[in-house]
Amino acid sequence: MKYPLIKIIAFGLIITALLSFVNPPKAKTNGTMVLKFNNLFNNQAVEFGKEYTNAHGEKLTLKTLNYFISNIKLTLKGGGEYVVPQDSCYFLVKQSDIGTQQIVLHNLPAAKYTAISFMVGIDSTRNTTDISRRTGTLDVGSTAKVMYWSWNSGYIFFKMEGQSPVIPDSAGNNFYYHIGGFGGFQSKTINNIRTKSISFNESVSNKNKIPVINIDVDVAALFNYKTPILLAKDPDVMWGELSVKISENYISTFNLGSIDYATATNSDK
Amino acid sequence: MKINKTTIAFVAIIAAISVGFTGINKPKPIEIKIPSNFPDPVYDLKINPVTEEGFELGRKLFYETMLSRDSSVSCGSCHQQQAAFIQAGHNFSHGVGNKHGRRNSLPVFNALFNRTFFWDGGVHNLDMVPINPIENKLEMDEHIDEILLRLNNAALYRQLFKNAFSVDTISTKEFLQALSQFLAAMISADSRYDKYIRHEGVQLTPEELAGLQLFKMKCSSCHATDLFTDGSYRNNGITNDFRFDKGRAEITLNQNDKGKFKVPSLRNVEYTAPYMHTGSLETLEQVLEHYNSGIKESETLDSIFRNKDGVPRIALTPDEQKNIILFLKSLSDTAFINDKRFSEYK
């Protein structure tokens, strides 16, 4: 035998040793960052039942405000980016549940960051996958119960409901904006996946401290940012072309607020 | 043998160990045999391998009325085995409160080969299929979380889920995976035609063979492969009034898809009357006469039906129709519709 087993094993060991030298030491991944979503209407914190007026002079109250945040990426100072792992990157923010309005990202590299990007919605892969990859936030029988269309299988990305006197009593004065659509499976359909990139305008470090990135979501812009949406004319938008205009409007409402710092607990140091 | 305390203790320990072993026994896998004349399955059985425990649980859930709001209907109410898993004698299925659905129910066999589901293709993964009829207000009008509550409150179900999936609490995932296992195992591929085409010692009659030849010429471009569907969406001219039901266009919002519906498989078609998404044709004779003389003109009518003179029809003489029907009946899988494994009661 030309290459006895022992030589092959020795060769393998040398290669392994060399490779471990070539591999750079892994960055510490004990950093944390908090994303805080502040729902606003015309710069006031959203309260259900409180009366607001949109840009068209229509009075309204809100009773539901939910949206999915997913596929978070952080830009590292000096280039490169950190992609939050898929399996821990789907969040449902609900106005009715204060705990959901703070997204805590654990196990990040302790580093300096300059920007963040995220999807408002759910990517097409998770919209078409089998049930084993729809657990946690994506569980259609639990957390995502009210955020899924069963007949037109896909997640509702953004849901805002309420009432307005401009809508007839016969319709219970109710308006419904249920916005979804991942682009279609076999045929091209509406794609309302919107990605927002936000620059921090400064270098944000999570070494020995926890940055709290406030993201202000002023949903008043849903009615007028790019395309005017009138409650009197379109109180009920779900699976339809107008939903694209609404998603274009609401993505503009996600903007950087203040950046604060919390003290890291021992486990984060 | 003298029985003393030591012996009793010894026996008790052995018994406890064996019970313990049975308790942690892995579910027994069931091999899903893909018929040699079928295409590859679409559903990934590696993610959700079918086991005896999972399949049995799926069967129990399929016939469980607890899945509907008022416990009046189960999946099996609208998908009856004797009718090859459609609802016999109904053009639109009956749901809770005796409400009627909007479309003729489709058979549920060979589901693991489907890329999309329902007449309009609105669902893309087998696991997600049951949620549609469960949540539909005209069908079962229930929510998954309510069902999970009921199942988790039932000691028997908790045990069955533990046996099949090693979980203490039943969640959406295991609930839908159990149903998928039952559906995935539900393969119908033992008709006389199958045995003929696979050379398993069955010969079709001269009339059936003549029907098969005609079928290949006139029907198989849509009812393609041995699944007898190409999975596409087409307007076959059964109606030209789409106000009640726009079909595929309700999913794509594309006006060119108005009145288009999924080409259904023709397997077991002898048992699945009435026909079409409207359920408006009672017999196979009426179906073939529809294609011969009854196709209704509309903008989205499939161009495949147009002759050189522009008239939409598949010209078929009475003899040709008769032979095609004889051939279609060779697609009947009597073993399948009588297979006790899929029945409500064994």
Side-chain angles (χ1 to χ4, degrees):
Chain A
M1 207 171 153
K2 205 173 174 187
Y3 301 107
L5 192 62
I6 189 79
K7 278 190 183 170
I8 295 173
I9 292 171
F11 183 70
L13 284 175
I14 290 166
I15 291 290
T16 314
L18 282 174
L19 278 177
S20 63
F21 269 109
V22 175
N23 267 349
K26 275 184 184 167
K28 278 187 184 173
T29 55
N30 57 358
T32 301
M33 185 184 283
V34 176
L35 308 179
K36 192 162 175 287
F37 289 84
N38 307 308
N39 293 328
L40 307 171
F41 200 104
N42 286 337
N43 291 316
Q44 294 175 290
V46 164
E47 282 175 47
F48 285 159
K50 189 175 172 184
E51 190 177 83
Y52 301 108
T53 308
N54 69 17
H56 316 298
E58 297 172 312
K59 293 195 183 334
L60 65 119
T61 57
L62 297 176
K63 64 176 181 191
T64 309
L65 180 57
N66 303 333
Y67 44 84
F68 274 111
I69 299 294
S70 73
N71 292 275
I72 300 171
K73 292 176 189 169
L74 290 161
T75 307
L76 289 149
K77 192 185 181 188
E81 64 178 10
Y82 176 77
V83 181
V84 178
Q86 271 268 314
D87 283 331
S88 50
C89 205
Y90 294 90
F91 304 94
L92 178 60
V93 178
K94 295 166 93 171
Q95 172 65 23
S96 61
D97 182 353
I98 195 161
T100 64
Q101 295 161 26
Q102 288 208 44
I103 295 175
V104 183
L105 303 173
H106 293 288
N107 307 322
L108 303 179
K112 287 176 177 165
Y113 297 95
T114 57
I116 188 170
S117 83
F118 52 84
M119 256 179 209
V120 178
I122 304 288
D123 50 277
S124 61
T125 308
R126 296 276 171 163
N127 266 293
T128 51
T129 191
D130 72 282
I131 197 68
S132 72
R133 303 216 298 157
R134 295 173 185 259
T135 51
T137 319
L138 297 178
D139 185 343
V140 295
S142 175
T143 322
K145 177 195 168 190
V146 295
M147 297 296 277
Y148 174 75
W149 285 315
S150 58
W151 60 278
N152 179 19
S153 184
Y155 289 96
I156 298 170
F157 301 160
F158 185 102
K159 188 181 225 181
M160 186 163 108
E161 297 174 328
Q163 292 184 310
S164 170
V166 304
I167 299 160
D169 291 347
S170 57
N173 309 114
N174 291 316
F175 66 86
Y176 304 91
Y177 297 131
H178 297 183
I179 313 301
F182 59 87
F185 182 67
Q186 282 176 322
S187 319
K188 199 165 173 284
T189 64
I190 285 176
N191 189 338
N192 278 318
I193 299 172
R194 299 276 168 261
T195 301
K196 183 78 178 192
S197 300
I198 293 175
S199 166
F200 295 148
N201 303 321
E202 61 185 89
S203 159
V204 172
S205 169
N206 64 346
K207 288 175 195 159
N208 302 323
K209 54 188 174 179
I210 299 174
V212 180
I213 313 291
N214 281 275
I215 294 166
D216 293 345
V217 186
D218 196 328
V219 292
L222 182 146
F223 294 99
N224 69 322
Y225 187 79
K226 273 177 97 173
T227 309
I229 302 294
L230 279 86
L231 285 166
K233 187 166 165 278
D234 294 299
D236 201 344
V237 181
M238 295 187 187
W239 186 237
E241 296 295 341
L242 194 61
S243 69
V244 178
K245 302 293 177 195
I246 292 185
S247 72
E248 284 170 0
N249 279 359
Y250 71 59
I251 193 64
S252 71
T253 71
F254 289 78
N255 290 301
L256 184 68
S258 62
I259 298 175
D260 310 321
Y261 291 90
T263 314
T265 59
N266 284 335
S267 63
D268 291 317
K269 272 177 187 167
Chain B
M1 188 178 146
K2 195 182 159 192
I3 298 172
N4 58 24
K5 276 184 184 170
T6 323
T7 314
I8 292 170
F10 182 71
V11 169
I13 288 165
I14 293 291
I17 290 171
S18 13
V19 167
F21 269 114
T22 331
I24 55 162
N25 256 356
K26 279 190 175 164
K28 292 172 271 309
I30 294 181
E31 193 200 346
I32 302 298
K33 292 195 184 80
I34 306 304
S36 60
N37 53 327
F38 274 34
D40 290 335
V42 175
Y43 187 70
D44 194 342
L45 292 166
K46 287 195 289 296
I47 295 175
N48 183 21
V50 182
T51 64
E52 278 177 30
E53 289 79 357
F55 168 84
E56 276 305 321
L57 176 54
R59 186 181 66 86
K60 193 169 166 56
L61 291 169
F62 187 84
Y63 293 108
E64 177 57 79
T65 56
M66 206 197 270
L67 269 52
S68 62
R69 177 171 53 77
D70 56 5
S71 289
S72 62
V73 294
S74 71
C75 308
S77 306
C78 296
H79 299 283
Q80 302 163 344
Q81 186 175 19
Q82 282 305 308
F85 292 97
I86 62 119
Q87 192 170 25
H90 287 273
N91 52 349
F92 303 133
S93 306
H94 283 251
V96 296
N98 234 353
K99 286 176 185 153
H100 287 251
R102 202 166 56 121
R103 294 170 185 161
N104 192 7
S105 62
L106 280 166
V108 293
F109 53 80
N110 297 341
L112 82 161
F113 301 96
N114 289 356
R115 210 157 280 285
T116 60
F117 300 86
F118 302 100
W119 284 104
D120 57 19
V123 179
H124 341 93
N125 191 291
L126 179 60
D127 290 342
M128 308 310 277
V129 166
I131 313 176
N132 193 3
I134 286 171
E135 290 200 342
N136 191 316
K137 295 213 174 310
L138 303 175
E139 296 180 50
M140 301 169 96
D141 193 21
E142 193 44 278
H143 292 288
I144 304 292
D145 54 345
E146 286 294 328
I147 294 169
L148 294 178
L149 212 62
R150 287 175 206 158
L151 294 176
N152 277 308
N153 279 333
L156 174 62
Y157 272 113
R158 276 208 312 278
Q159 186 60 48
L160 293 174
F161 273 95
K162 198 182 171 80
N163 297 347
F165 297 101
S166 313
V167 291
D168 291 320
T169 308
I170 306 157
S171 76
T172 317
K173 175 173 166 256
E174 296 84 37
F175 170 63
L176 293 175
Q177 284 189 335
L179 281 164
S180 285
Q181 289 192 27
F182 178 63
L183 292 171
M186 213 189 261
I187 294 177
S188 173
D190 280 319
S191 66
R192 290 181 51 250
Y193 165 80
D194 290 299
K195 289 175 181 162
Y196 160 76
I197 210 78
R198 294 195 301 252
H199 309 291
E200 291 171 3
V202 167
Q203 185 54 47
L204 297 183
T205 67
E207 289 81 9
E208 287 169 339
L209 287 170
L212 171 57
Q213 286 312 311
L214 284 162
F215 182 87
K216 281 183 176 165
M217 282 189 291
K218 305 200 179 223
C219 316
S220 70
S221 47
C222 304
H223 296 286
T225 76
D226 272 6
L227 294 176
F228 292 91
T229 171
D230 64 354
S232 66
Y233 309 92
R234 298 170 190 260
N235 172 355
N236 73 346
I238 190 68
T239 177
N240 52 13
D241 182 352
F242 310 129
R243 284 172 300 179
F244 176 66
D245 192 344
K246 295 185 182 64
R248 179 68 177 158
E250 294 183 1
I251 301 299
T252 64
L253 301 175
N254 180 346
Q255 292 311 297
N256 297 326
D257 287 337
K258 226 196 250 185
K260 291 184 183 174
F261 293 85
K262 170 99 66 65
V263 174
S265 168
L266 298 179
R267 289 185 167 275
N268 297 308
V269 73
E270 179 182 2
Y271 308 126
T272 60
Y275 302 106
M276 308 298 170
H277 73 275
T278 52
S280 55
L281 302 180
E282 299 287 340
T283 64
L284 289 172
E285 285 74 15
Q286 287 174 11
V287 170
L288 291 191
E289 196 47 46
H290 162 74
Y291 287 116
N292 182 49
S293 65
I295 293 179
K296 291 200 176 83
E297 187 63 74
S298 64
E299 267 182 29
T300 57
L301 179 69
D302 206 287
S303 59
I304 207 159
F305 297 116
R306 293 200 192 282
N307 289 307
K308 287 189 197 92
D309 59 4
V311 178
R313 70 180 292 218
I314 303 174
L316 293 163
T317 67
D319 265 357
E320 289 175 331
Q321 295 187 27
K322 201 182 102 230
N323 286 341
I324 289 176
I325 291 170
L326 285 170
F327 161 68
L328 291 175
K329 290 184 177 174
S330 79
L331 298 175
S332 297
D333 186 348
T334 46
F336 172 72
I337 68 160
N338 292 303
D339 191 332
K340 286 285 170 212
R341 290 180 302 148
F342 307 125
S343 306
E344 181 166 9
Y345 305 106
K346 294 210 168 185

